[in-house]
Amino acid sequence: MDDRGSSFVAVRRIPQGETCHPNSEVVAGSAAWLGRGLSCVCVQRRDSDVSNTFDLTLAQEECLQRIQRRIDVPYDSSIIEHQDALRALWNAAFPEEELHGLISEQWKEMGWQGKDPSTDFRGGGFISLENFLFFARNFPKSFQVLLRKQEGDRSVWEYPFAVAGVNITYMLIQMLDLEAVKPRNLVGATFLKFLAENGSAFDLLYCITFKLMDHQWLTMRASYMDFNAVMKETRRQLEKELLIEDIARLEDLPSYKLLSR
């Protein structure tokens, strides 16, 4: 993916009553799809390639191929299904407000960079929109709390909700090594066990990660320019939890308890 700009976009809270490189610590960049200032976080690989130490079961192989097909689908604003999904996201986010069009200034309320959210999906693809919808439908309370920044002592300059969500999708794909023939790290290999048991495991992990990221944001008392550091810490915590022994399902992860339906 090419770099398309170097400006920064932030969301100011009004008080009310480039491709990841596996050996880099953090890819600080300006890829437009990552928010012109919010960039992917690639923690340096510390474990050796483990792909030769295990074999995929047939179920794991099928699940991996299925999610790879999802990852390969770009968002296409000319496809009716994609248009309907985008409208569904708006309705889930702002059920009380009518959307005037798929290209509208209203989208900025959700934290998209401009009036056409399709331009921000370039890095995450259609799966990032599916992640958003899964979150909104299965954990509506947590979704609304994050969207509206209702918890904690918030920064004056907050991370944009929508752009952060696309970042999370991309970060998880990289962390779990989901585009490889089979994962080359232990975290990815472990995740396939969850995926074989639950076809929605990636979407569920997305929800957990989003809530964990916001928890880290508040704990670190972060502001917009700290987003990369927050994402890096979120990834480290998530990797640690996924490798806990005796975790049989994602619902057993400590960070799952942060979610509310």
Side-chain angles (χ1 to χ4, degrees), residues 41-205:
V41 175
C42 305
V43 176
Q44 185 174 6
R45 187 185 303 279
R46 292 182 175 84
D47 54 334
S48 58
D49 189 331
V50 301
S51 61
N52 294 324
T53 66
F54 72 96
D55 294 316
L56 298 179
T57 66
L58 180 59
Q60 290 172 346
E61 186 174 350
E62 290 175 347
C63 287
L64 178 59
Q65 292 173 351
R66 190 176 303 121
I67 197 166
Q68 286 175 339
R69 288 193 292 271
R70 290 179 63 191
I71 291 169
D72 287 342
V73 177
Y75 179 85
D76 187 339
S77 58
S78 69
I79 297 177
I80 298 299
E81 177 190 358
H82 293 197
Q83 296 175 14
D84 290 344
L86 193 55
R87 289 191 187 93
L89 177 61
W90 177 267
N91 293 333
F94 303 105
E96 72 288 349
E97 183 177 348
E98 181 182 357
L99 179 66
H100 301 321
L102 293 182
I103 299 178
S104 168
E105 294 289 337
Q106 290 172 284
W107 287 107
K108 294 180 182 179
E109 298 175 35
M110 194 175 177
W112 300 104
Q113 295 182 82
K115 61 184 180 180
D116 183 2
S118 68
T119 61
D120 290 332
F121 282 123
R122 283 179 294 185
F126 186 61
I127 191 173
S128 57
L129 177 51
E130 292 178 316
N131 289 158
F132 271 123
L133 283 172
F134 183 92
F135 193 7
R137 290 166 175 169
N138 289 274
F139 300 96
K141 183 176 180 180
S142 287
F143 180 87
Q144 288 293 331
V145 165
L146 295 185
L147 170 64
R148 302 174 189 273
K149 305 291 196 302
Q150 292 174 333
E151 285 184 350
D153 184 13
R154 312 303 307 199
S155 169
V156 173
W157 292 97
E158 278 286 325
Y159 64 84
F161 173 80
V163 174
V166 177
N167 271 258
I168 289 170
T169 297
Y170 183 77
M171 184 268 281
L172 287 175
I173 292 170
Q174 299 301 308
M175 182 186 84
L176 301 172
D177 203 17
L178 292 177
E179 294 177 293
V181 175
K182 64 179 179 177
R184 293 161 292 188
N185 59 54
L186 191 55
V187 173
T190 300
F191 174 74
L192 287 185
K193 298 176 183 178
F194 299 123
L195 189 61
E197 296 295 326
N198 179 0
S200 298
F202 184 79
D203 302 273
L204 178 56
L205 188 61

Side-chain angles (χ1 to χ4, degrees), residues 235-252:
R235 173 169 173 163
R236 285 175 173 162
Q237 178 62 28
L238 196 62
E239 289 176 328
K240 180 180 177 181
E241 292 188 16
L242 286 169
L243 296 178
I244 294 174
E245 292 185 13
D246 301 325
I247 295 290
R249 55 189 194 135
L250 292 178
E251 290 86 346
D252 297 329

